[in-house]
Amino acid sequence: MTDEVTPEVAPDVAPDVAPRVETFAAGIVGVKLGTVARQIAPDEPPPLPPNDQLSVIGQPVPRVDGRAKVTGAMRFTVDVAMPGMLHARILRSPLPHARVRRVDSSAAARLPWVRAVIVVARPDDPAHAVLRYVGAPVAAVAAVSPGAAEEALRLIHVDYAPQPFIADMDAARAPGAPSVHDAISLPAGHPSGWPAPQDLPVAGNVRGPAISGRGDIATGFAQAEVIVEGEYRTEVQTHCCLEPHAIVADWRADGLTVHMSTQFTAGVRAELAEAFNLPLSRVRVVVGGMGGGFGSKSSLGTYGYLAVALSRAAGLPVRLVLDREEEQTDAGNRPATWQTVRIGARRDGTLTALSVVSYGTAGVAVGAGIGNFAEQTYVCPNFRAMQHDVFINAGPGCAMRGPGNTPGAFALEQAIDDLAERLALDPIALRDRIDASPVRREERRIGAARIGWGQRHAPGADPGPVKRGIGMAQSLWMANVHLNAACAVRIVRDGSVTVMSGIQDIGTGTRTVLAQTVAEVFGLRAEDIVVRIGDTDFPAGPPSYGSRATASITPPARTAAWHVLRQLCSEAARMLNVGADDLIAREGRLIVRDDPARGLALAEVAARLRTEGIGAVAARSDDYGGFRRRMGDAALAQQDLGGVQFAAVAVDTETGIVRVERVVAVQDCGRPINPLLLESQVQGGVLMGLSYALFENRILDQATGRMVNPNLEQYKLAGAADSPEIDVVILENYQGQSATDAYGIAEPANIATAPAIANAVYNAIGVRPRSLPMTPAAILHLLGKSPAGSRVS
Amino acid sequence: MAQSRNADGNGVPPVGGPGAVSLALTVNDITRTVRAEPRLTLAEALRGPLGLTGTKIACDRGACSACTVWLDGVPVCSCMILAIEVGQRRVTTIEGLAEGERLHPVQAAFVAHDAVQCGFCTPGMVMSCAALLAHTKQPSADAVTAAISGHLCRCGTYPHVIAATVAAGAETKGDGP
């Protein structure tokens, strides 16, 4: 761009050089909607008005890929087939801890239908000679059919030297417990995922504590007039994506193409380029339909690496799809935790001290911490968390929908209710005192009215055997933004519009919100926009994890579309002999603002283009007003995301069965782009939280280290009959922070559910369920009706 | 290994395999002959040799119902039946539900009510809900819940699936059960 203003160019498309100040809507619709002035960069679009002034954004637009999904036309990674494609299977450790003395794959390699064999657990490789969990990869085979690959695995002879193992977190902490790791294998990292202090102490199988805090915890407890303390336990939850982890790798001389069911095409590309020493430009990662991730499909993984290595070795495309047992044992999980929460408060409820000591296990991995929920949800000057990872011989955990904060909220939200009871305060009144967020306050108010909080009775007050109760809990999550995120928008001579990005739609509705965002700019309908995503050949796509996809990709989509529109307006202004600034886009036309009868169809203007089409690429700019924190490509917006959920339950005290009858979920995500899809996603978060609360438990056999329920039968998931009435309310909460002011919701929708149910169960039966899952046996035990403990594993 | 023998006159079906055998399958009103090993499940045969990948395999063990198709109009888990067992029965898959461009009412309602998130369990859900509507006009929410009680959806679409199917049933002008 140049500083010269040429006479032909209308003033509003003159080169912009200086930042400008714009006024944005700010506040909660229905509570207090004001304005905020922001200085923004010259190439940012004008402020987007609140949803009630828009025609596509904020509307319950049907999912743009809905038709493809209901007809079976949507092509997922498992549906990708290529000429000559081989099928891979992985040989996995039958033992929880063993040193591999010898692997003989020669018989398998000699089979005519086997095209490549790779041994992972090589006796001569200290980093890979020891297997540390049942299901750890030993070798992989590519053959002409899945059955042929399976048969070949049986011909691989492995000589295992069994080692002592430990498959229980409590036992693993005891002195003298068998060591899971050695100096080489010991993983780095922080229990809650933040950059790790390198010098965390390691004692036996316990790594930590990672200490975070503020103020002085001892002083805080000394100031307390009331102290409550409780221990809470959560079990391992597995992701159970309906589409298994899947990859089709096609290694060719001129580059590598990988189709993968992934939450982060760009991240997988970077991992592949590094692992196989290829230029980024020679690696392409593609995903079409994507059958769920929930955190477990964030990276390449060993299986992904093996598929590519097999393709390279065989010179043919290789398809590798994990079976359900592999999904349950070696595809990640939400770690188990054991937390001691101690809260000190004054009699008016003011918190003086909050301490959490946590031990968690992510199997052989780290990351079993409690997130930032206790640290940031409530006002408390003196805080300390001491988080520990405990290693056991079990498959590695990984991020899962609201990692850390989900088990963290299960404990803290019950402890806060405990405190309210000790102080004889209503749980909502206590939170009104200790929660500084005006958004959560409004969410509590709305939710309380909808659930009928006023009718809530004293704990255990129902006279009959089926006792009902109401409880609530809060969620808190970071407003994540990924800055390495970009979109291209293009219009061609027939007036049709395409938006392109490497971002993937994992079921959240990314295609639809992109279509809405771009359609709003052009005055089109969402279904008019062609959305092409899930391909690293397009501009950089952000990951779909951490509730950051919408926040990261809709602002550059709008910005790119706006730049294209400005070029079109410039062309149309000449045709209509008006100023470009006088034109607005509406219903597929560019019309004169003060004379709507005058105008041109987009196609009429596009037909005049010098080239077949014009386009623009925009990258995610910084939030207006800056970020709270920034680490590389990742940034934290100024505000939090969260919600308040209320649950109404019925507990049958004779059978121990807990039924959740109703949930009210009041959530915020900045600007809601699609209330219909948001409702879906919040219902999904609630149901995953309900399933976590009542059913899910990875059960390890202590004698063999095997998961005894590695399927979808004995590993219980909530089904339709378990689904309560779910009332979803989405706040419109504007801050004027980006071109769309939209943020995420996936994780905040999940975090509050289990503690809300637990608080409701307490209200029903007068005994606090401090352990998950709340199975009938666990409830009967709480009621003193069963000798069996609540913990199975 | 069983030897092949013919079944002339005694009603015992011929034994084939373990190599590929010829199978005639009538899928979505078209009969096609494929070569398949007898161990191939119907789900695998549909997705592989028949190229109908709309049917999904998620648990491969009859626990999640993602692979639901119709056999003579009755929903079944296609992962739990061998292709060789299907015989003369008519198979209907998700690809055969719409009439040309016109969606089945359940499909249209799924889109309108957003009974779809990632979409992987969706074909199976649609097949069960459409089968319900074929037999029960204007089903209640409880009837829909029962019809999909074997289906697992990790995204949590159940409330919208139920709402969509009830709405689709309400729009059909049926006589009622």
Side-chain angles (χ1 to χ4, degrees):
Chain A
M1 287 225 165
T2 158
D3 286 334
E4 289 176 355
V5 178
T6 55
E8 293 81 16
V9 178
D12 72 322
V13 289
D16 298 314
V17 288
R20 63 186 202 272
V21 174
E22 295 268 21
T23 302
F24 291 81
I28 306 166
V29 171
V31 180
K32 184 166 184 253
L33 189 60
T35 60
V36 61
R38 302 275 192 203
Q39 178 172 297
I40 63 174
D43 52 354
E44 290 289 311
L48 189 63
N51 281 354
D52 63 357
Q53 297 167 45
L54 303 176
S55 50
V56 190
I57 289 176
Q59 295 299 312
V61 171
R63 203 173 283 261
V64 295
D65 50 9
R67 188 184 178 95
K69 287 178 177 176
V70 300
T71 55
M74 174 63 86
R75 201 165 78 134
F76 294 78
T77 302
V78 295
D79 303 328
V80 172
M82 293 182 179
M85 184 174 79
L86 302 175
H87 299 263
R89 291 287 291 155
I90 297 174
L91 181 70
R92 293 180 177 277
S93 174
L95 299 174
H97 199 180
R99 176 171 295 279
V100 172
R101 283 191 290 236
R102 198 173 71 91
V103 180
D104 181 359
S105 60
S106 56
R110 276 197 301 271
L111 291 175
W113 53 81
V114 169
R115 298 298 158 79
V117 180
I118 291 174
V119 175
V120 181
R122 305 179 66 89
D124 55 353
D125 176 359
H128 293 99
V130 179
L131 304 165
R132 291 188 164 80
Y133 58 95
V134 174
V138 176
V141 166
V144 297
S145 75
E150 189 76 45
E151 286 170 16
L153 293 188
R154 291 188 207 120
L155 295 179
I156 299 175
H157 299 291
V158 186
D159 181 7
Y160 299 100
Q163 311 279 312
F165 71 95
I166 191 82
D168 177 82
M169 182 170 76
D170 297 344
R173 287 174 58 194
S179 282
V180 173
H181 282 294
D182 55 35
I184 296 173
S185 69
L186 193 68
H190 186 285
S192 283
W194 290 303
Q198 291 303 306
D199 52 351
L200 284 184
V202 178
N205 291 312
V206 179
R207 185 170 182 276
I211 300 175
S212 52
R214 59 179 176 261
D216 182 78
I217 199 74
T219 306
F221 280 114
Q223 292 165 347
E225 293 165 323
V226 174
I227 293 175
V228 295
E229 183 169 328
E231 290 181 11
Y232 301 87
R233 197 178 271 279
T234 65
E235 291 298 345
V236 167
Q237 181 181 30
T238 60
H239 297 73
C240 297
C241 314
L242 267 276
E243 183 185 31
H245 288 62
I247 177 171
V248 178
D250 188 15
W251 181 287
R252 296 181 184 230
D254 61 349
L256 169 66
T257 300
V258 161
H259 297 260
M260 191 168 192
S261 182
T262 178
Q263 297 176 236
F264 191 14
T265 55
V268 168
R269 178 172 72 158
E271 286 185 78
L272 285 168
E274 187 176 344
F276 291 94
N277 196 24
L278 291 168
L280 277 172
S281 300
R282 292 210 184 270
V283 183
R284 182 179 171 210
V285 178
V286 182
V287 60
M290 200 285 196
F294 312 109
S296 72
K297 295 178 182 171
S298 302
S299 55
L300 176 63
T302 303
Y303 74 101
Y305 175 86
L306 287 172
V308 174
L310 287 167
S311 176
R312 179 175 62 178
L316 287 168
V318 169
R319 174 184 194 264
L320 176 55
V321 178
L322 301 193
D323 68 20
R324 193 49 59 178
E325 181 163 351
E326 292 174 300
E327 285 291 304
Q328 291 286 34
T329 53
D330 195 22
N333 57 66
R334 184 195 298 288
T337 67
W338 177 86
Q339 305 170 50
T340 303
V341 179
R342 195 159 182 253
I343 306 177
R346 298 197 188 279
R347 296 216 180 278
D348 66 357
T350 310
L351 303 186
T352 61
L354 171 50
S355 150
V356 186
V357 178
S358 77
Y359 291 83
T361 184
V364 297
V366 296
I370 53 160
N372 71 343
F373 189 84
E375 186 170 354
Q376 294 188 359
T377 301
Y378 298 112
V379 175
C380 181
N382 305 299
F383 170 82
R384 188 180 62 190
M386 299 175 70
Q387 305 179 59
H388 306 77
D389 275 304
V390 183
F391 300 113
I392 66 170
N393 293 104
C398 70
M400 181 168 181
R401 205 168 192 170
N405 284 29
T406 298
F410 175 74
L412 188 75
E413 285 297 276
Q414 291 200 76
I416 293 290
D417 264 35
D418 254 356
L419 176 64
E421 185 168 34
R422 280 284 298 280
L423 296 168
L425 283 173
D426 182 281
I428 292 179
L430 173 60
R431 286 175 176 85
D432 283 346
R433 185 155 302 166
I434 62 177
D435 180 359
S437 166
V439 182
R440 295 306 107 62
R441 176 182 295 269
E442 177 65 6
E443 288 167 342
R444 285 189 296 272
R445 191 189 65 75
I446 293 172
R450 293 215 174 199
I451 199 79
W453 188 258
Q455 276 87 59
R456 186 168 176 267
H457 54 52
D462 263 350
V466 175
K467 297 184 185 299
R468 289 189 158 73
I470 296 175
M472 58 84 66
Q474 305 204 161
S475 96
L476 189 81
W477 189 247
M478 300 148 281
N480 289 306
V481 175
H482 193 79
L483 296 171
N484 184 9
C487 247
V489 172
R490 185 177 64 196
I491 188 165
V492 291
R493 279 183 175 167
D494 68 353
S496 59
V497 177
T498 306
V499 54
M500 287 162 281
S501 170
I503 194 173
Q504 49 289 313
D505 187 337
I506 66 171
T508 54
T510 298
R511 285 187 186 86
T512 309
V513 297
L514 278 174
Q516 288 178 266
T517 301
V518 172
E520 184 74 45
V521 173
F522 289 105
L524 293 168
R525 300 167 304 173
E527 65 259 39
D528 297 328
I529 308 297
V530 177
V531 183
R532 300 192 62 205
I533 61 171
D535 188 333
T536 53
D537 277 358
F538 298 138
S544 297
Y545 57 64
S547 302
R548 76 190 73 200
T550 299
S552 304
I553 205 65
T554 57
R558 177 165 179 255
T559 303
W562 180 70
H563 283 292
V564 171
L565 180 71
R566 286 220 303 178
Q567 293 179 62
L568 281 182
C569 285
S570 171
E571 186 73 32
R574 273 191 285 270
M575 294 165 72
L576 293 166
N577 199 25
V578 295
D581 206 20
D582 299 328
L583 293 172
I584 55 172
R586 186 167 296 165
E587 291 172 7
R589 297 172 62 78
L590 297 179
I591 58 173
V592 180
R593 192 190 312 270
D594 299 325
D595 184 6
R598 284 188 71 204
L600 293 163
L602 281 179
E604 289 179 87
V605 185
R608 298 277 295 264
L609 295 175
R610 183 182 175 87
T611 58
E612 177 62 31
I614 55 170
V617 180
R620 179 61 158 93
S621 50
D622 285 2
D623 268 17
Y624 311 152
F627 290 115
R628 188 191 298 188
R629 193 148 56 107
R630 187 172 168 175
M631 302 143 285
D633 287 340
L636 280 184
Q638 296 288 352
Q639 82 284 14
D640 290 317
L641 301 172
V644 179
Q645 295 188 359
F646 292 75
V649 304
V651 183
D652 186 328
T653 56
E654 293 179 346
T655 64
I657 292 172
V658 176
R659 282 202 60 85
V660 181
E661 298 185 317
R662 188 154 177 248
V663 170
V664 175
V666 192
Q667 306 284 152
D668 57 276
C669 56
R671 176 194 302 273
I673 290 189
N674 188 320
L676 178 63
L677 272 57
L678 282 165
E679 183 178 77
S680 287
Q681 212 174 350
V682 173
Q683 288 175 340
V686 167
L687 283 164
M688 193 176 277
L690 180 151
S691 199
Y692 181 53
L694 301 185
F695 305 123
E696 296 186 43
N697 193 359
R698 178 200 68 184
I699 301 168
L700 294 180
D701 175 18
Q702 298 305 308
T704 63
R706 282 177 173 272
M707 181 177 179
V708 301
N709 54 345
N711 50 48
L712 294 178
E713 301 163 86
Q714 283 82 28
Y715 186 90
K716 273 267 297 151
L717 293 178
D722 306 304
S723 179
E725 180 192 341
I726 305 172
D727 187 4
V728 178
V729 182
I730 310 286
L731 292 196
E732 269 182 66
N733 178 32
Y734 298 106
Q735 285 120 2
Q737 292 185 158
S738 77
T740 61
D741 214 12
Y743 292 86
I745 202 153
E747 286 162 300
N750 178 240
I751 291 163
T753 314
I757 292 170
N759 283 335
V761 166
Y762 174 76
N763 183 240
I765 63 175
V767 192
R768 191 159 280 292
R770 297 181 197 270
S771 297
L772 289 180
M774 297 174 232
T775 60
I779 296 293
L780 291 177
H781 181 63
L782 283 179
L783 293 167
K785 295 183 176 183
S786 158
S790 61
R791 279 192 80 223
V792 187
S793 64
Chain B
M1 207 64 67
Q3 288 187 330
S4 266
R5 60 195 163 89
N6 283 323
D8 301 315
N10 60 8
V12 179
V15 174
V21 297
S22 276
L23 287 177
L25 288 170
T26 303
V27 182
N28 302 330
D29 296 328
I30 299 170
T31 303
R32 283 171 62 188
T33 301
V34 298
R35 298 280 299 169
E37 292 179 25
R39 65 178 170 179
L40 214 63
T41 65
L42 175 57
E44 291 165 336
L46 290 169
R47 292 178 47 78
L50 289 166
L52 295 170
T53 55
T55 299
K56 297 293 184 257
I57 299 173
C59 76
D60 208 20
R61 195 162 156 174
C64 75
S65 300
C67 63
T68 299
V69 301
W70 297 349
L71 276 193
D72 283 343
V74 177
V76 298
C77 286
S78 60
C79 77
M80 297 295 282
I81 180 167
L82 298 175
I84 202 168
E85 294 178 275
V86 172
Q88 307 291 310
R89 287 176 285 180
R90 288 173 298 111
V91 181
T92 308
T93 71
I94 188 71
E95 289 91 349
L97 203 59
E99 287 179 21
E101 286 294 296
R102 197 160 62 89
L103 294 180
H104 184 282
V106 166
Q107 290 174 313
F110 266 52
V111 176
H113 290 259
D114 201 42
V116 178
Q117 289 184 46
C118 82
F120 203 80
C121 76
T122 306
M125 285 272 195
V126 168
M127 294 309 287
S128 281
C129 292
L132 174 70
L133 249 62
H135 302 105
T136 309
K137 303 301 178 193
Q138 301 173 0
S140 65
D142 284 348
V144 180
T145 301
I148 61 167
S149 61
H151 289 258
L152 292 176
C153 170
R154 191 48 148 169
C155 299
T157 57
Y158 309 123
H160 281 175
V161 166
I162 295 165
T165 307
V166 168
E171 283 166 17
T172 56
K173 303 282 186 282
D175 306 325

